[in-house]
Amino acid sequence: MVIAQTNSIPNSALTLQSAIKLTLANAPELHEFTFKQQAIEGDIKTASLKPELIAGIEVENFLGTGEVSGIKDTELTLTLSSVIELGNKLSSRKAFASAQSQAAEVRKQVRTLDILAEVTRRYIDVLAQQALIKAQKDAESLARYTYQAVTKRVEAGASPAFEQQRAEAALARARLEVLTALQTKQGMINSLAIMWGEQNPTFTNVEGDLFALPPSPSLTSLFTILLESPNLDVYAQDARLQTAQVRLTQAAKQSDLSWTAGIRRINGIDETAFVAGVSMPLFAGNRNLGEYEKQRAIQGQLEQQKQSATQNLYHQLNMALIARNNALLNVQTLKNAIIPPLVDALSLVEQAYINGRFSYLEWVSTRQELLNAKQALIQSAKQAHQRGADIESLTAQPLADANVTSFSSKNQ
């Protein structure tokens, strides 16, 4: 998600791009995949090895009794043995290890999307809190002005003394809300900095325009984009991995041929002879049948899991889009139809109170309505941004690009 930048933020502010860069460079969860890939590369090297050669030595007819006492009739045999793998086992092992590497890479992409969505959400928390602090400070200034105006009327005998006390309490409450909002903001900044392991944040603000909200793309275009996202590709990679596992298991059904060759020295007749032999297990394929059927069943299970995951992701995408569209509608309505008349109403009620035509309660009530509307506007904009981050995490594509795709599909 791209947050529009403003020029009113001090130099100690952080951009979303910087937050993302810091997180990707320092997130332990992503660096973990580097070691996973190194482990898989080791498996690939191991899988590429051919059967080892085994050298052996065998001594017979020595240190016996009678005719075979001592070593005069000793038979010494030197052998070299190995296995001839049948059933294409070598390539099956390599294909399985390679499929593991591809599956791990896609899982890293999925985890990266989750982390990017989380850092964006925490960034939006801070950005929205900054807007809320501004609204709270405006409310504090208005409460101070109200207190001063009420004090003048009380001193002039135009209003009862309790109104001054109520105005004083309202000003204290407004100050408290500002202090609480500032404290909450610092906690949010700490949570954001934790994403890249920084315990003492060096920034005090974040940059961005909370109310710069691009329109939502269509659900149809989002569904199309989702089909190409890593969130579904991970199931495709799991299916490829399981296919490689099935082939590996199928290759294991074919018995290997063991061979032995060597030379034998017979001391009793002072002669040398060559020896050789081959062996193969009988009925080995039947012993592996159960494992093969198990892996085939898992293969079918993965296909069902993919279909279930697709439906679940469609639902998540639909719900995120509904929430975002509702938030956008709230933002538009609050900005254009609710807040402007409340601003005008507050000005009219203020003047009417000063002229003695309205009560203090009506002034305070109108002021609170305006503050509530501003807070609702901030929360709606925050909701729109955060649900946009959810959509981007699911589709692995920025909303701006998704809008282009949606526009293109409508014009085809």
Coordinates of all heavy atoms in Angstrom, one line a residue, residues 9 123-141 174-186 188 205-206 208-211 368 370-382:
I9 N 5.5 17.0 7.9 CA 6.1 16.2 9.0 C 7.5 16.5 9.2 O 8.3 16.8 8.3 CB 5.9 14.7 8.6 CG1 4.5 14.3 8.2 CG2 6.4 13.8 9.7 CD1 3.5 14.5 9.4
Y123 N 2.2 0.6 10.9 CA 2.5 2.0 10.4 C 1.2 2.8 10.3 O 1.2 4.0 10.7 CB 3.1 1.8 9.0 CG 3.6 3.1 8.4 CD1 5.0 3.4 8.6 CD2 2.8 4.0 7.7 CE1 5.5 4.6 8.1 CE2 3.3 5.2 7.2 CZ 4.7 5.5 7.4 OH 5.2 6.7 6.9
I124 N 0.1 2.2 9.9 CA -1.2 2.9 9.8 C -1.7 3.2 11.2 O -2.3 4.3 11.4 CB -2.2 2.0 9.0 CG1 -1.8 1.9 7.6 CG2 -3.6 2.7 9.1 CD1 -1.6 3.2 6.8
D125 N -1.4 2.4 12.2 CA -1.8 2.7 13.5 C -1.2 4.0 14.0 O -1.9 4.8 14.6 CB -1.4 1.5 14.5 CG -2.2 0.3 14.4 OD1 -3.4 0.4 13.9 OD2 -1.8 -0.8 14.8
V126 N 0.1 4.1 13.7 CA 0.8 5.4 14.1 C 0.3 6.6 13.4 O 0.0 7.6 13.9 CB 2.3 5.2 13.9 CG1 3.0 6.5 14.3 CG2 2.9 4.0 14.7
L127 N 0.1 6.4 12.0 CA -0.4 7.5 11.2 C -1.8 7.9 11.7 O -2.1 9.2 11.8 CB -0.5 7.0 9.7 CG -0.8 8.1 8.7 CD1 0.4 9.2 8.7 CD2 -0.9 7.5 7.3
A128 N -2.7 7.0 12.0 CA -4.0 7.4 12.4 C -3.9 8.0 13.8 O -4.7 8.9 14.1 CB -4.9 6.1 12.5
Q129 N -3.0 7.5 14.7 CA -2.9 8.1 16.0 C -2.4 9.5 15.9 O -2.8 10.4 16.7 CB -1.9 7.3 16.8 CG -1.9 7.6 18.3 CD -3.3 7.3 19.0 OE1 -4.1 6.5 18.5 NE2 -3.5 7.9 20.2
Q130 N -1.6 9.8 14.9 CA -1.1 11.2 14.7 C -2.3 12.1 14.4 O -2.4 13.2 14.9 CB -0.1 11.3 13.6 CG 1.3 10.7 14.0 CD 2.3 10.7 12.9 OE1 3.4 10.3 13.1 NE2 1.9 11.2 11.7
A131 N -3.2 11.6 13.5 CA -4.4 12.4 13.2 C -5.3 12.6 14.4 O -5.9 13.6 14.5 CB -5.1 11.7 12.0
L132 N -5.4 11.5 15.2 CA -6.2 11.6 16.3 C -5.7 12.6 17.3 O -6.5 13.3 18.0 CB -6.3 10.2 17.0 CG -7.3 10.1 18.2 CD1 -8.7 10.4 17.8 CD2 -7.2 8.7 18.8
I133 N -4.4 12.6 17.5 CA -3.8 13.6 18.4 C -4.1 15.0 18.0 O -4.4 15.9 18.8 CB -2.2 13.4 18.5 CG1 -2.0 12.1 19.3 CG2 -1.5 14.6 19.2 CD1 -0.5 11.7 19.2
K134 N -4.0 15.3 16.6 CA -4.3 16.6 16.1 C -5.8 17.0 16.5 O -6.1 18.1 16.9 CB -4.1 16.6 14.6 CG -4.3 18.0 14.0 CD -4.1 18.0 12.5 CE -4.3 19.4 11.9 NZ -5.6 19.9 12.2
A135 N -6.7 16.0 16.3 CA -8.1 16.3 16.6 C -8.3 16.5 18.1 O -9.0 17.4 18.5 CB -8.9 15.1 16.1
Q136 N -7.5 15.7 18.9 CA -7.6 15.9 20.4 C -7.1 17.3 20.8 O -7.6 18.0 21.7 CB -6.9 14.8 21.1 CG -7.4 13.4 20.9 CD -8.7 13.2 21.6 OE1 -9.4 14.1 22.1 NE2 -9.2 11.9 21.7
K137 N -6.0 17.7 20.1 CA -5.4 19.0 20.5 C -6.4 20.1 20.0 O -6.5 21.2 20.7 CB -4.1 19.2 19.8 CG -3.0 18.4 20.4 CD -1.6 18.6 19.8 CE -0.5 17.9 20.5 NZ 0.8 18.1 19.9
D138 N -7.0 20.0 18.9 CA -8.0 21.0 18.4 C -9.2 21.0 19.5 O -9.7 22.1 19.8 CB -8.6 20.6 17.1 CG -7.6 20.8 16.0 OD1 -6.6 21.5 16.2 OD2 -7.8 20.2 14.9
A139 N -9.6 19.8 20.0 CA -10.6 19.8 21.0 C -10.2 20.5 22.3 O -11.0 21.2 22.9 CB -11.0 18.3 21.2
E140 N -8.9 20.3 22.6 CA -8.4 20.9 23.8 C -8.4 22.5 23.7 O -8.8 23.2 24.6 CB -7.0 20.5 24.1 CG -6.4 21.1 25.4 CD -4.9 20.8 25.5 OE1 -4.3 20.1 24.6 OE2 -4.3 21.2 26.5
S141 N -8.0 22.9 22.5 CA -8.0 24.4 22.2 C -9.4 24.9 22.3 O -9.7 26.0 22.9 CB -7.4 24.7 20.8 OG -6.1 24.3 20.8
A174 N -10.1 17.2 28.4 CA -9.5 17.3 27.0 C -8.0 17.2 27.1 O -7.3 16.6 26.2 CB -9.9 18.6 26.4
R175 N -7.3 17.8 28.1 CA -5.9 17.7 28.3 C -5.5 16.2 28.5 O -4.5 15.8 28.0 CB -5.4 18.6 29.5 CG -5.5 20.1 29.2 CD -5.2 20.8 30.5 NE -5.3 22.3 30.3 CZ -5.3 23.2 31.3 NH1 -5.4 22.7 32.5 NH2 -5.3 24.4 31.0
L176 N -6.3 15.5 29.4 CA -6.0 14.1 29.6 C -6.1 13.3 28.4 O -5.2 12.4 28.2 CB -7.0 13.6 30.7 CG -6.9 12.1 31.0 CD1 -5.6 11.8 31.6 CD2 -8.0 11.7 32.0
E177 N -7.0 13.6 27.5 CA -7.2 12.8 26.3 C -6.0 13.0 25.4 O -5.5 12.1 24.7 CB -8.5 13.1 25.6 CG -9.7 12.6 26.4 CD -11.0 13.0 25.7 OE1 -11.0 13.9 24.8 OE2 -12.1 12.5 26.1
V178 N -5.5 14.3 25.4 CA -4.3 14.5 24.6 C -3.1 13.8 25.1 O -2.3 13.1 24.3 CB -4.0 16.0 24.5 CG1 -2.6 16.3 23.9 CG2 -5.1 16.8 23.8
L179 N -2.9 13.8 26.4 CA -1.8 13.1 27.0 C -1.9 11.6 26.8 O -0.9 10.9 26.5 CB -1.7 13.4 28.5 CG -1.3 14.8 28.9 CD1 -1.4 15.0 30.4 CD2 0.1 15.2 28.4
T180 N -3.1 11.0 26.9 CA -3.3 9.6 26.7 C -3.0 9.2 25.2 O -2.4 8.2 25.0 CB -4.8 9.2 27.0 OG1 -5.0 9.6 28.4 CG2 -5.0 7.7 26.8
A181 N -3.5 10.1 24.3 CA -3.2 9.8 22.9 C -1.7 9.9 22.6 O -1.2 9.1 21.8 CB -4.0 10.8 22.0
L182 N -1.0 10.8 23.2 CA 0.5 10.9 23.0 C 1.2 9.6 23.5 O 2.1 9.1 22.9 CB 1.0 12.1 23.6 CG 0.7 13.5 23.0 CD1 1.1 14.6 23.9 CD2 1.4 13.6 21.6
Q183 N 0.7 9.2 24.7 CA 1.3 8.0 25.3 C 1.0 6.8 24.4 O 1.9 5.9 24.2 CB 0.8 7.8 26.7 CG 1.4 6.7 27.5 CD 1.0 6.8 29.0 OE1 1.6 7.5 29.7 NE2 0.0 5.9 29.3
T184 N -0.2 6.7 23.9 CA -0.6 5.6 23.1 C 0.2 5.6 21.8 O 0.7 4.5 21.3 CB -2.1 5.6 22.8 OG1 -2.8 5.6 24.0 CG2 -2.5 4.5 21.9
K185 N 0.5 6.8 21.2 CA 1.3 6.9 20.0 C 2.7 6.3 20.2 O 3.2 5.6 19.4 CB 1.3 8.3 19.6 CG 2.2 8.6 18.4 CD 2.5 10.0 18.2 CE 3.6 10.3 17.2 NZ 4.0 11.7 17.1
Q186 N 3.3 6.7 21.4 CA 4.6 6.2 21.6 C 4.7 4.6 21.7 O 5.6 4.0 21.2 CB 5.2 6.8 22.9 CG 6.6 6.4 23.2 CD 7.6 6.9 22.1 OE1 7.5 8.0 21.6 NE2 8.4 5.9 21.6
M188 N 2.7 2.7 20.1 CA 2.5 2.2 18.7 C 3.8 2.3 17.9 O 4.1 1.5 17.1 CB 1.4 3.0 18.0 CG 0.0 2.7 18.5 SD -1.3 3.7 17.7 CE -2.8 3.0 18.4
N205 N 7.7 10.4 14.4 CA 6.5 10.5 13.6 C 6.6 9.6 12.4 O 7.7 9.1 12.1 CB 6.2 11.9 13.1 CG 5.8 12.8 14.3 OD1 4.7 12.8 14.8 ND2 6.7 13.7 14.7
V206 N 5.5 9.4 11.7 CA 5.6 8.7 10.4 C 5.0 9.7 9.3 O 4.1 10.5 9.7 CB 4.8 7.4 10.4 CG1 5.5 6.4 11.4 CG2 3.3 7.6 10.7
G208 N 2.8 10.5 5.8 CA 1.8 10.0 5.0 C 0.5 10.8 5.1 O 0.3 11.6 6.1
D209 N -0.4 10.7 4.2 CA -1.7 11.3 4.2 C -2.7 10.2 4.5 O -3.0 9.4 3.6 CB -2.0 12.0 2.9 CG -3.3 12.7 2.8 OD1 -4.0 12.6 3.8 OD2 -3.6 13.4 1.8
L210 N -3.3 10.2 5.7 CA -4.2 9.2 6.1 C -5.5 9.2 5.2 O -6.1 8.1 5.0 CB -4.7 9.4 7.5 CG -5.6 8.4 8.2 CD1 -4.9 7.0 8.3 CD2 -6.1 8.8 9.5
F211 N -5.8 10.3 4.6 CA -7.1 10.4 3.8 C -6.9 10.2 2.3 O -7.8 10.5 1.5 CB -7.8 11.7 4.2 CG -8.1 11.8 5.6 CD1 -7.3 12.7 6.4 CD2 -9.0 11.0 6.3 CE1 -7.5 12.8 7.8 CE2 -9.2 11.1 7.6 CZ -8.5 12.0 8.4
Q368 N -19.0 18.2 21.2 CA -18.6 16.7 21.3 C -19.1 16.0 20.1 O -18.4 15.0 19.6 CB -19.3 16.2 22.5 CG -18.9 14.7 22.9 CD -17.4 14.6 23.2 OE1 -16.9 15.5 23.9 NE2 -16.8 13.6 22.6
L370 N -19.0 17.1 17.0 CA -18.0 17.3 16.0 C -16.8 16.5 16.3 O -16.2 15.9 15.4 CB -17.7 18.8 16.0 CG -16.6 19.2 15.0 CD1 -17.0 18.9 13.6 CD2 -16.3 20.7 15.1
L371 N -16.4 16.4 17.5 CA -15.2 15.6 17.9 C -15.4 14.2 17.6 O -14.5 13.5 17.0 CB -14.8 15.8 19.4 CG -13.7 15.0 19.9 CD1 -12.4 15.3 19.1 CD2 -13.5 15.2 21.4
N372 N -16.6 13.7 17.9 CA -16.9 12.3 17.6 C -16.9 12.0 16.1 O -16.4 10.9 15.7 CB -18.3 11.9 18.2 CG -18.3 11.9 19.7 OD1 -17.3 11.8 20.3 ND2 -19.5 12.0 20.3
A373 N -17.4 12.9 15.3 CA -17.4 12.8 13.9 C -15.9 12.8 13.3 O -15.6 12.0 12.4 CB -18.2 13.9 13.2
K374 N -15.1 13.6 13.9 CA -13.7 13.6 13.4 C -13.0 12.3 13.8 O -12.2 11.8 13.0 CB -12.9 14.8 14.0 CG -13.3 16.2 13.5 CD -12.5 17.3 14.1 CE -12.9 18.6 13.5 NZ -12.0 19.7 14.1
Q375 N -13.3 11.8 15.0 CA -12.7 10.6 15.4 C -13.2 9.4 14.5 O -12.4 8.5 14.2 CB -13.0 10.3 16.9 CG -12.3 11.3 17.8 CD -12.7 11.1 19.3 OE1 -13.8 10.5 19.6 NE2 -11.9 11.5 20.2
A376 N -14.5 9.4 14.2 CA -15.0 8.4 13.3 C -14.4 8.5 12.0 O -14.1 7.4 11.3 CB -16.5 8.6 13.3
L377 N -14.1 9.7 11.5 CA -13.5 9.8 10.2 C -12.1 9.2 10.2 O -11.7 8.5 9.3 CB -13.4 11.3 9.8 CG -12.6 11.7 8.5 CD1 -13.3 11.1 7.3 CD2 -12.5 13.2 8.4
I378 N -11.3 9.5 11.3 CA -10.0 8.9 11.4 C -10.0 7.4 11.4 O -9.3 6.7 10.8 CB -9.3 9.5 12.6 CG1 -9.0 11.0 12.4 CG2 -8.0 8.8 12.9 CD1 -8.6 11.7 13.7
Q379 N -10.9 6.9 12.3 CA -11.0 5.4 12.4 C -11.5 4.7 11.1 O -11.0 3.7 10.7 CB -12.0 5.1 13.5 CG -11.6 5.4 14.9 CD -10.3 4.7 15.3 OE1 -10.1 3.5 14.9 NE2 -9.4 5.4 15.9
S380 N -12.3 5.4 10.3 CA -12.8 4.8 9.0 C -11.6 4.8 8.0 O -11.5 3.9 7.3 CB -14.0 5.6 8.5 OG -15.1 5.5 9.3
A381 N -10.9 5.9 8.0 CA -9.7 6.0 7.1 C -8.7 4.9 7.5 O -8.1 4.2 6.6 CB -9.1 7.4 7.1
K382 N -8.5 4.7 8.8 CA -7.6 3.7 9.3 C -8.1 2.3 8.8 O -7.3 1.5 8.4 CB -7.5 3.8 10.8 CG -6.7 2.7 11.5 CD -6.7 2.9 13.0 CE -6.0 1.7 13.7 NZ -6.0 1.9 15.2

